Amino acid sequence: MTAASTPALEADRQALIRLITAEAVFHGDFTLSSGKKATYYVDMRKLTLDHRAAPAIGRIILDLIGDIDGIVAVGGLTLGADPIANAVMHESARTDQPLDAFVVRKEPKDHGRGRQVEGADVAGKRVVVVEDTSTTGQSALKAVEALRREGAEPVAVAVIVDRRTGAQAAVEAAGLQWLAAIDLDDLGLGPQ
């Protein structure tokens, strides 16, 4: 995404970029969840759970997925997707097309109803998987697999920050649309 669809949403996006740059980019030696090494880490949970950023994140992701027909819910693999899905759900409640949220557990519960997907009923419905940032796309694809087992139709993966490290190719190879609100150029960072 190079810009949001309205000046107000682009202002939100630019404000979020400034917050990410100032408060969520850490430099050093890091190991990513994929096992890859990195010289910087974008800690989006710091902002997805922050009152200054969460409403804008909801509006930005809602705008990002706005052209996809028939979406009824958003969510993804817990923990990273949870605050994003909730922000989108709350912002969508202000529109004429409100969306529900769902959470995909890493593994099905071993008690109760044994569910792996919680929240909105996704069977037979078009959904979007959301993530804060993605390196290889494997977390999003794990959520997609669980959703497909539940009978959902995942159609896209939407991320706040695209690290440009292969996630897009993996997601598109799985037949899904890839959407990103912010990329490394926006943050003044190079690929790793």
Side-chain angles (χ1 to χ4, degrees):
M1 176 176 198
T2 56
S5 68
T6 68
L9 284 166
E10 183 57 23
D12 277 345
R13 190 168 98 58
Q14 292 302 321
L16 182 58
I17 289 168
R18 286 190 296 277
L19 271 173
I20 294 168
T21 302
E23 299 184 25
V25 176
F26 297 89
H27 296 274
D29 294 319
F30 299 96
T31 302
L32 305 175
S33 63
S34 64
K36 292 184 177 186
K37 302 293 184 187
T39 58
Y40 62 81
Y41 182 73
V42 181
D43 185 0
M44 285 304 300
R45 288 186 189 113
K46 184 167 176 28
L47 293 177
T48 60
L49 295 165
D50 186 299
H51 72 279
R52 297 168 300 159
I57 288 169
R59 290 188 295 272
I60 291 164
I61 296 296
L62 191 59
D63 182 54
L64 195 62
I65 65 174
D67 289 337
I68 304 173
D69 290 332
I71 298 302
V72 298
V74 297
L77 200 61
T78 199
L79 174 77
D82 301 351
I84 301 165
N86 283 320
V88 172
M89 177 184 65
H90 286 285
E91 288 301 320
S92 76
R94 304 170 194 255
T95 72
D96 60 350
Q97 295 181 331
L99 301 174
D100 289 322
F102 58 85
V103 173
V104 179
R105 296 174 184 273
K106 291 183 170 118
E107 300 294 331
K109 282 176 40 175
D110 62 357
H111 59 283
R113 294 173 53 202
R115 297 182 53 110
Q116 188 170 8
V117 179
E118 300 283 0
D121 176 18
V122 297
K125 300 189 178 138
R126 291 170 57 88
V127 300
V128 172
V129 171
V130 295
E131 277 201 312
D132 51 4
T133 184
S134 189
T135 304
T136 63
Q138 294 311 301
S139 292
L141 293 175
K142 185 172 183 173
V144 166
E145 288 174 19
L147 288 161
R148 286 179 174 157
R149 282 193 301 272
E150 292 287 324
E153 182 188 351
V155 295
V157 172
V159 299
I160 300 170
V161 177
D162 182 357
R163 293 181 56 89
R164 286 201 222 145
T165 51
Q168 179 175 356
V171 165
E172 289 175 345
L176 302 159
Q177 184 178 0
W178 172 263
L179 302 164
I182 296 167
D183 66 21
L184 296 181
D185 291 339
D186 294 319
L187 300 175
L189 299 170
Q192 299 190 80

